[in-house]
C-alpha cells in the first residue's frame, strides 16, 4: 500500500457477508447431520428386514409342518373334524399378503 493512500472498509458489508457465510455454513452442517441420520436409520431398517425375512423363512417351514401334522392327527381324534389345510404354504401366503398391502398403499 502506497504511503498516504487510505482504504476505506465498509464494515456493514463485511459483517453482513460474515453473517451470511455463518448462516450458510450452519445450514449446510445441519443438512449434513440430517442426511447422516437418515442414512443410519435406513441401514438399521435394512438390517431389521434381513432379520425379519430370515425369521419368516424358519417359522413358515415350521407352520407348514404343524399344519400337515394337524391334518393327519385331527381326523383320528375328532370324527367330524373339518380342519382345512391351507392350499398354499405359509411363506406363499405371507408373500401374497405383503403384495396385497403394497398394492393398497400405492392406490390413490
Amino acid at each position: 500500500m502506497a504511503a498516504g493512500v487510505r482504504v476505506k472498509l465498509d464494515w456493514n458489508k463485511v459483517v453482513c457477508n460474515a453473517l451470511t457465510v455463518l448462516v450458510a455454513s450452519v445450514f449446510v452442517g445441519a443438512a449434513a447431520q440430517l442426511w447422516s441420520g437418515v442414512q443410519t436409520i435406513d441401514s438399521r431398517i435394512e438390517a431389521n428386514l434381513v432379520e425379519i425375512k430370515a425369521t419368516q423363512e424358519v417359522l413358515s417351514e415350521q407352520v407348514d409342518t404343524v399344519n400337515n401334522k394337524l391334518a393327519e392327527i385331527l381326523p383320528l381324534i375328532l370324527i367330524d373334524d373339518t380342519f382345512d389345510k391351507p392350499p398354499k404354504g405359509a411363506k406363499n401366503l405371507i408373500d401374497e399378503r405383503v403384495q396385497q398391502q403394497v398394492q393398497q398403499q400405492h392406490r390413490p
Side-chain angles (χ1 to χ4, degrees):
M1 182 153 43
V5 177
R6 298 185 103 204
V7 176
K8 184 177 179 183
L9 291 176
D10 186 352
W11 287 106
N12 284 335
K13 287 184 180 179
V14 171
V15 171
C16 284
N17 285 342
L19 287 175
T20 300
V21 169
L22 177 64
V23 169
S25 63
V26 168
F27 176 76
V28 169
Q33 286 286 48
L34 179 63
W35 181 253
S36 174
V38 168
Q39 295 301 316
T40 301
I41 290 170
D42 284 349
S43 65
R44 288 172 56 195
I45 289 172
E46 188 62 35
N48 286 338
L49 284 175
V50 168
E51 186 175 325
I52 288 169
K53 288 177 183 177
T55 303
Q56 175 185 329
E57 290 285 333
V58 171
L59 291 180
S60 63
E61 289 177 19
Q62 296 299 320
V63 168
D64 291 340
T65 301
V66 169
N67 278 338
N68 290 334
K69 292 294 181 185
L70 278 174
E72 291 175 18
I73 295 171
L74 284 180
L76 301 174
I77 299 172
L78 303 171
I79 296 173
D80 63 345
D81 178 50
T82 57
F83 176 75
D84 294 325
K85 184 177 169 187
K88 299 178 183 178
K91 173 93 172 73
N92 291 335
L93 293 172
I94 291 170
D95 289 342
E96 285 179 7
R97 181 70 54 90
V98 168
Q99 288 299 324
Q100 289 172 357
Q101 290 176 354
V102 168
Q103 289 173 355
Q104 288 176 353
Q105 289 175 351
H106 292 295
R107 289 183 184 157

